[in-house]
């Protein structure tokens, strides 16, 4: 499983065309990745990444891009504390500040007995951004393709791929719970 899961975060061989992948999920309801963007304080912005899934998951790739373009925002960090995947064995973070993309690669276990992520709903990552220009347009997030073959994808323990629905919502930090 570890070798197969590593291939989905760009370590393996094989190529995938740089085209969007349609959401598909052979296990019950469509799984969903939802990003909630809020301005935390001053020039600081937070993008909370939530997952709703109805099957166990062993690995995920989340290739994201942020904007608006022209370098108005810097991605400072990713946090997995108090999230559903906090105990995953591998939590990678590959930002590209020039292309304004980040690849999050998540693997539950690499031989240490960490169980897969069970079905449920909740936070899986928190991305921290800084606005580099006063009065910049609000932060935006979308899914993207990150070479060599990373698309928004999740993998079950039996190596079946799921391509979730992707949603984004901007929320008022003052009213966010």
């Amino acid at each position: 499983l570890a070798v197969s899961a590593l291939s989905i975060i760009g370590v393996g061989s094989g190529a995938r065309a740089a085209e969007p992948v349609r959401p598909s999920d052979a296990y019950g309801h469509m799984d969903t990745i939802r990003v909630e963007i809020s301005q935390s304080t001053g020039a600081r912005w937070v993008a909370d990444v939530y997952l709703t899934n109805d099957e166990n998951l062993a690995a995920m790739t989340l290739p994201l891009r942020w904007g608006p373009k022209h370098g108005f925002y810097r991605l400072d960090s990713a946090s997995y504390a108090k999230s559903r995947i906090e105990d995953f064995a591998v939590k990678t973070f590959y930002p590209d500040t020039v292309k304004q993309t980040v690849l999050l690669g998540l693997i539950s276990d690499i031989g240490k007995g960490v169980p897969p992520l069970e079905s449920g709903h909740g936070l899986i990552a928190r991305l921290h951004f800084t606005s580099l220009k006063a009065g910049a347009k609000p932060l935006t997030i979308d899914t993207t393709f990150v070479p060599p073959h990373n698309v928004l994808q999740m993998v079950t323990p039996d190596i079946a791929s799921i391509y979730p629905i992707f949603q984004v919502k901007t929320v008022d930090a003052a009213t966010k719970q």
Side-chain angles (χ1 to χ4, degrees), residues 135-156:
K137 292 181 181 180
L139 176 67
T140 61
I141 304 280
D142 202 351
T143 187
T144 191
F145 171 83
V146 173
H149 53 85
N150 294 289
V151 295
L152 187 63
Q153 179 180 9
M154 301 180 298
V155 178
T156 65

Side-chain angles (χ1 to χ4, degrees), residues 3 33 41 60 67 78 86 96 110 114 138 141 169:
V3 172
I33 296 286
T41 58
M60 293 176 248
E86 183 174 23
D96 182 330
I110 54 173
V114 178
I141 304 280
K169 178 179 179 182

Side-chain angles (χ1 to χ4, degrees), residues 8-50:
I8 72 163
I9 61 170
V11 179
S13 62
R16 179 185 298 267
E19 59 188 53
V21 176
R22 291 187 179 176
S24 66
D25 183 347
Y27 301 90
H29 299 287
M30 287 295 303
D31 291 354
T32 302
I33 296 286
R34 187 180 81 251
V35 179
E36 291 187 1
I37 302 169
S38 60
Q39 187 172 8
S40 61
T41 58
R44 307 268 184 213
W45 290 73
V46 175
D48 288 331
V49 182
Y50 294 91

